[in-house]
Amino acid sequence: MLSLPPGTKVYLASKPVDMRKGFAGLSALASEVFRLDPYSGHVFLFRSKRGNYLKALIWDGTGLCLFAKRLERHRFVWPPLVDGGVVLTPAQFSLLLEAMDWRRTVAPKPPKRPVHI
């Protein structure tokens, strides 16, 4: 599990990319797809065509880090294939890494107002 500093955003590219890409190729994709600096400290996620493999590109302040995870029997839960990407919360990112359905995470409902009788 990766721990993210407060304020870190997770950008997920929804279209599959070539998983042979490394630091330079994924940095270029982060700039192209999200129009953001890959050295911003945010997380940039990329998926494989089959959906069982992901790579995460993160700048930790001293260098770029490239993390990869491949599921042996299942697939990650991905958003629909559209241009651009999706912004995930750190909690959704954690669920995604655990191969759980992160789309079901909903903000808690505010408490109901008390009823005076």
Side-chain angles (χ1 to χ4, degrees):
M1 177 57 211
L2 300 171
S3 61
L4 302 176
T8 303
K9 292 184 180 177
V10 180
Y11 296 94
L12 170 61
S14 60
K15 285 192 175 179
V17 301
D18 182 358
M19 287 289 113
R20 295 175 292 183
K21 291 185 184 294
F23 291 98
L26 294 176
S27 294
L29 278 174
S31 297
E32 182 181 309
V33 172
F34 299 107
R35 308 267 187 248
L36 294 171
D37 180 13
Y39 302 99
S40 62
H42 298 299
V43 179
F44 298 95
L45 287 176
F46 303 94
R47 63 167 286 181
S48 68
K49 214 181 251 191
R50 289 178 33 198
N52 66 336
Y53 189 46
L54 68 76
K55 285 188 176 182
L57 186 69
I58 307 166
W59 171 259
D60 71 354
T62 60
L64 276 176
C65 302
L66 184 59
F67 298 97
K69 183 170 182 175
R70 182 184 69 202
L71 297 177
E72 297 299 325
R73 296 187 184 180
H74 303 287
R75 294 184 175 163
F76 293 102
V77 178
W78 301 108
L81 297 176
V82 295
D83 288 333
V86 177
V87 180
L88 302 179
T89 66
Q92 290 172 324
F93 174 55
S94 296
L95 290 171
L96 175 69
L97 283 182
E98 295 299 322
M100 297 174 72
D101 193 349
W102 56 270
R103 298 169 302 175
R104 295 179 188 245
T105 57
V106 180
K109 293 180 181 176
K112 293 184 178 179
R113 296 183 67 187
V115 178
H116 297 290
I117 299 178

